Amino acid sequence: MKRFFWRLYVMWLRKRGPKVAARAVLYCNEKLRLHILRAFGASIGPGTHIRTPMHIMGRYEDFAHLEIGAHTYVGPDCIFDLCDDITIGDRAAVSARCSFVTHMNVGAGSLADVYPSTTGKVRVGD
């Protein structure tokens, strides 16, 4: 019965968009969080645990830039910046409050000439 309501919730989130889904994964149930992430394009391996809260920022088209391997632990209060790919391997452990930052942008001020916007991939091995 729970999965039925989860499907309805994901359908509602799809209508609202990925930005609302990013807020939904912040404090929801762990299994529902994995279900939402997969529904929006993230690749999450079996046996993976992602603790609450989980912050997603950056690109809000989908969560396809996120790939987490099997049997991986992600501690609470981690930040995932999905402007570029974030790959975490199998059987990895990510401590609490880690930040995966994939872009740099100083805004539209005078520093933009010196430091242009850049993106880059983040990879954590097995």
Side-chain angles (χ1 to χ4, degrees), residues 65-120:
H65 284 292
L66 181 61
E67 182 181 341
I68 301 175
H71 305 289
T72 296
Y73 173 81
V74 178
D77 216 16
C78 288
I79 297 173
F80 294 88
D81 172 13
L82 297 181
C83 287
D84 208 334
D85 294 343
I86 297 173
T87 305
I88 301 173
D90 295 338
R91 299 171 312 280
V94 177
S95 182
R97 295 191 172 193
C98 283
S99 297
F100 297 95
V101 180
T102 61
H103 84 286
M104 184 201 63
N105 186 350
V106 296
S110 60
L111 285 176
D113 296 333
V114 179
Y115 301 107
S117 294
T118 59
T119 62

Side-chain angles (χ1 to χ4, degrees), residues 34 36-44 62-68:
L34 296 176
I36 293 169
L37 289 170
R38 288 179 180 129
F40 278 85
S43 174
I44 311 289
D62 57 20
F63 302 151
H65 284 292
L66 181 61
E67 182 181 341
I68 301 175

Side-chain angles (χ1 to χ4, degrees), residues 9-10 12-14 16-28 33 36-37 39-40 54 56 60 62-63:
Y9 186 55
V10 169
W12 179 79
L13 287 173
R14 283 182 197 253
R16 299 295 306 252
K19 195 169 190 176
V20 175
R23 284 194 304 262
V25 299
L26 188 61
Y27 287 110
C28 69
R33 180 179 311 111
I36 293 169
L37 289 170
F40 278 85
M54 176 187 189
I56 295 178
Y60 288 115
D62 57 20
F63 302 151

